[in-house]
């Protein structure tokens, strides 16, 4: 039984297949057709909806999500808002009114998603008591996952800056959703504890694990593969925590990028800057660090930086917990060290030591919401003589898995990073990697791009450049 509210009305649904998306639920079962399908992959934002949940104080707040890849069953107990639910009789919501007044809608297909992204921004600022217009960086971040093929961004940005000047109607609180008895979802399992999770995983060995689903659901929406059994991690409370230790933090498998961002901003600025380019806000509200590792993509954004950090992974099964260095996790293309009945429970981020720096850069065709062509991450300590020590470098997009660049590390270890050392490091790239040609980049481009990123790292690590802040513009 799936129970939720949509635009203030309660709905209870039975017999939805496990892989039903929120978009299919809205358009095919609930008749809410204002939400559009553009890409079916979480890239264009036309299907953006607002998902409402309650915080520890019982306050209802909304975050944006891509309905086309959001599993419908994860909405159990949530309050959904779509473009149909914002107006109050003849009075448009300020976001809608601002778009009308500033001519922010052209063909109109992408407009519902843009409206909902801006609604979530307006809702957040209202809850925080923020007055005045949002700045351009905030607007760009919110709209980074909404594509407008009519190129109407100037008018949309003007509307975003003006929406605070219009009266904000009180949004009705739909009230608590009391549980409703009914048959469990066919093939969709939502355990509430680690022990229940490993038990279900043992009973259903062919079931796929899903957290944010921002990669897995593409198998269903694009490749049209059936996903008859899914085990949802989002209900396991223990996996939704960040546990601080003396030397670092354990990040639970259910922690989203949005929840992780404050920690990264405080302790790993380069990682946080990378996160701003990992998908869109809609994606980061759902996707998880553990999920990005478990799908084992060679162009995943986080594996190289976790390898550079020397992260550890905690795996769990009926056989108990075990820890594994991240260097040993990827065993081949889309293959990991996870055994039958085992899942990735948490990721350990070690603290940076005094004098230690972490650098990370991503190269992609589009700045926002795009997949890497190549990725480089470097961690090192620079001693008082300018020599690099404890160098760890990892790259993505250069092999069948993300992997360490050990010959490059050796070329840098214990040496002052001058021009000659840079030349040696660049020569060593071809000893570590033999990349392929594909639709994202050629072999030659990838090798040249990594060499260019090493040159950038040299500038960053030299004494006259290392005080320059890491900015989004330089990435």
């Amino acid at each position: 039984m799936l129970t939720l509210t949509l635009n203030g009305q309660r709905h209870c649904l039975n017999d939805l297949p496990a892989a039903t998306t929120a978009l299919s639920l809205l358009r095919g079962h609930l008749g809410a057709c204002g939400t559009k399908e553009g890409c079916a992959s979480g890239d264009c934002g036309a299907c953006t909806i607002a998902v409402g949940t309650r915080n520890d104080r019982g306050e209802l707040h909304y975050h944006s999500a891509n309905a086309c890849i959001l599993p419908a069953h994860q909405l159990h107990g949530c309050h959904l808002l779509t473009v149909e639910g914002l107006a109050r009789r003849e009075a448009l919501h300020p976001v809608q009114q601002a778009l009308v007044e500033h001519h922010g809608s052209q063909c109109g297909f992408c407009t519902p998603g843009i409206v909902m992204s801006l609604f979530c921004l307006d809702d957040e600022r209202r809850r925080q008591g923020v007055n005045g217009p949002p700045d351009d960086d905030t607007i760009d971040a919110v709209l980074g996952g909404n594509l407008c093929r009519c190129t109407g961004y100037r008018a949309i940005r003007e509307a975003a800056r003006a929406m605070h000047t219009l009266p904000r109607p009180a949004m009705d609180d739909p009230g608590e959703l009391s549980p409703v008895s009914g048959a469990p979802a066919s093939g969709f399992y939502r355990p509430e504890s680690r022990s229940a999770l490993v038990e279900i995983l043992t009973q259903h060995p062919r079931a796929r694990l899903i957290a944010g689903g921002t990669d897995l659901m593409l198998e269903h929406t694009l490749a049209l593969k059936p996903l008859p059994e899914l085990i949802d991690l989002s209900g396991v409370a223990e996996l939704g925590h960040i546990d601080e230790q003396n030397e670092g933090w354990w990040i639970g498998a259910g922690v989203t990028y949005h929840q992780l961002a404050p920690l990264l901003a405080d302790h790993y600025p380069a990682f946080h800057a990378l996160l701003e380019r990992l998908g869109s806000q809609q994606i980061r509200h759902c996707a998880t660090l553990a999920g990005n590792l478990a799908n084992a993509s060679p162009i995943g954004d986080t594996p190289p930086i976790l390898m550079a950090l020397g992260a550890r992974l905690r795996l769990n099964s009926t056989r108990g917990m075990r820890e594994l260095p991240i260097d040993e996790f990827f065993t081949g293309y889309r293959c990991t060290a996870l055994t039958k009945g085992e899942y990735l429970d948490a990721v350990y981020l070690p603290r940076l030591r005094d004098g230690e720096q972490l650098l990370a850069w991503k190269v992609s065709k589009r700045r926002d919401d795009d997949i890497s062509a190549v990725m480089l991450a470097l961690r090192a300590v620079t001693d008082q003589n300018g020599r690099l020590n404890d160098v760890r470098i990892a790259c993505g997009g250069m092999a069948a898995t993300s992997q360490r660049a050990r010959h490059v590390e050796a070329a840098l270890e214990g040496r002052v990073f001058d021009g000659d050392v840079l030349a040696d490091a660049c020569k060593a790239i071809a000893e570590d990697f033999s990349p392929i040609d594909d639709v994202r980049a050629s072999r030659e481009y990838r090798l040249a791009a990594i060499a260019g990123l090493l040159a950038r790292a040299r500038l960053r690590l030299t004494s006259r450049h290392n005080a320059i802040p890491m900015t989004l513009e330089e990435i």
Side-chain angles (χ1 to χ4, degrees):
M1 174 73 73
L2 170 60
T3 303
L4 53 82
T5 66
L6 171 61
N7 300 327
Q9 294 187 347
R10 181 188 180 96
H11 297 273
C12 300
L13 301 102
N14 275 316
D15 301 323
L16 290 178
T20 302
T21 66
L23 185 62
S24 296
L25 173 69
L26 291 170
R27 295 180 62 87
H29 297 269
L30 301 179
C33 296
T35 306
K36 308 301 184 186
E37 178 176 325
C39 65
S41 59
D43 287 320
C44 75
C47 68
T48 302
I49 58 174
V51 180
T53 56
R54 297 189 185 276
N55 60 21
D56 294 337
R57 298 184 297 275
E59 299 167 339
L60 185 63
H61 62 96
Y62 292 92
H63 67 265
S64 58
N66 295 119
C68 68
I69 56 173
L70 179 64
H73 290 286
Q74 287 189 337
L75 296 173
H76 182 69
C78 294
H79 302 282
L80 267 63
L81 279 178
T82 64
V83 69
E84 296 98 332
L86 298 187
R88 293 296 177 265
R89 296 185 179 178
E90 300 302 319
L92 295 178
H93 188 275
V95 173
Q96 297 169 308
Q97 188 63 44
L99 285 166
V100 170
E101 293 180 1
H102 292 272
H103 310 287
S105 179
Q106 293 189 36
C107 81
F109 190 88
C110 65
T111 303
I114 290 170
V115 167
M116 297 315 298
S117 288
L118 292 178
F119 164 79
C120 289
L121 171 62
D122 184 70
D123 177 72
E124 180 182 12
R125 292 168 68 82
R126 176 182 56 80
R127 287 187 290 104
Q128 295 176 350
V130 178
N131 294 314
D135 58 35
D136 287 349
D137 288 342
T138 298
I139 296 171
D140 290 348
V142 167
L143 295 177
N146 292 90
L147 301 183
C148 173
R149 295 196 178 197
C150 298
T151 66
Y153 290 110
R154 179 191 57 78
I156 295 168
R157 287 161 61 106
E158 289 177 355
R161 285 190 284 266
M163 62 187 183
H164 78 284
T165 64
L166 300 171
R168 287 170 169 166
M171 299 301 294
D172 299 330
D173 190 317
E176 294 292 339
L177 274 174
S178 56
V180 175
S181 60
S186 175
F188 192 91
Y189 310 100
R190 197 172 193 232
E192 297 182 354
S193 66
R194 280 193 178 105
S195 58
L197 171 57
V198 296
E199 181 179 349
I200 293 174
L201 190 56
T202 301
Q203 295 172 352
H204 302 273
R206 296 186 178 181
R208 305 288 294 276
L209 292 171
I210 190 166
T214 55
D215 185 78
L216 176 60
M217 289 300 289
L218 303 190
E219 294 185 20
H220 178 66
T221 61
L222 295 184
L224 305 181
K225 293 181 180 179
L227 295 173
E229 291 188 304
L230 293 173
I231 302 175
D232 179 18
L233 304 183
S234 64
V236 182
E238 300 108 307
L239 302 184
H241 295 158
I242 298 176
D243 297 323
E244 184 173 6
Q245 309 288 316
N246 289 334
E247 302 299 326
W249 296 266
W250 281 106
I251 313 301
V255 174
T256 66
Y257 289 132
H258 179 72
Q259 295 168 323
L260 180 60
L263 171 65
L264 300 186
D266 289 342
H267 298 279
Y268 308 94
F271 201 165
H272 184 260
L274 172 71
L275 194 67
E276 293 294 324
R277 296 190 59 203
L278 199 162
S280 60
Q281 285 200 0
Q282 294 96 315
I283 293 294
R284 295 193 295 273
H285 285 144
C286 301
T288 65
L289 189 62
N292 199 232
L293 292 174
N295 70 34
S297 169
I299 50 175
D301 286 338
T302 65
I305 199 167
L306 294 173
M307 286 181 167
L309 280 172
R312 302 199 310 273
L313 309 181
R314 186 168 64 206
L315 314 182
N316 192 19
S317 70
T318 55
R319 300 178 296 278
M321 299 274 195
R322 67 178 176 120
E323 289 188 20
L324 190 70
I326 190 171
D327 292 356
E328 300 176 15
F329 184 66
F330 302 109
T331 60
Y333 178 73
R334 295 279 187 175
C335 296
T336 71
L338 288 167
T339 60
K340 185 177 180 180
E342 195 171 40
Y343 73 93
L344 176 53
D345 184 88
V347 181
Y348 184 77
L349 302 183
R351 295 179 189 270
L352 293 175
R353 297 170 292 171
D354 290 341
E356 196 167 38
Q357 293 190 66
L358 176 68
L359 308 176
W361 292 290
K362 167 182 176 175
V363 177
S364 57
K365 293 182 178 179
R366 193 173 69 227
R367 185 197 176 281
D368 291 310
D369 198 12
D370 200 8
I371 295 172
S372 296
V374 294
M375 166 86 185
L376 179 139
L378 180 151
R379 189 207 71 185
V381 177
T382 306
D383 67 20
Q384 58 185 0
N385 297 315
R387 294 185 177 87
L388 300 183
N389 298 297
D390 299 328
V391 179
R392 289 179 67 99
I393 298 175
C395 297
M398 299 290 287
T401 68
S402 296
Q403 68 180 47
R404 296 269 297 279
R406 297 186 184 274
H407 287 91
V408 179
E409 292 174 353
L412 298 178
E413 185 67 33
R415 303 176 71 184
V416 176
F417 204 170
D418 57 20
D420 292 336
V421 172
L422 174 62
D424 291 342
C426 290
K427 291 178 183 177
I429 296 172
E431 299 180 61
D432 285 312
F433 303 107
S434 181
I436 63 172
D437 297 320
D438 64 16
V439 295
R440 293 189 179 87
S442 66
R443 176 183 186 276
E444 289 74 19
Y445 178 86
R446 286 187 159 100
L447 292 170
I450 292 297
L453 294 179
L454 284 174
R456 177 180 286 181
R458 178 192 166 221
L459 294 177
R460 175 68 57 189
L461 292 169
T462 56
S463 59
R464 66 190 180 93
H465 287 280
N466 61 14
I468 300 174
M470 178 77 71
T471 63
L472 290 178
E473 286 73 17
E474 76 171 25
I475 298 177

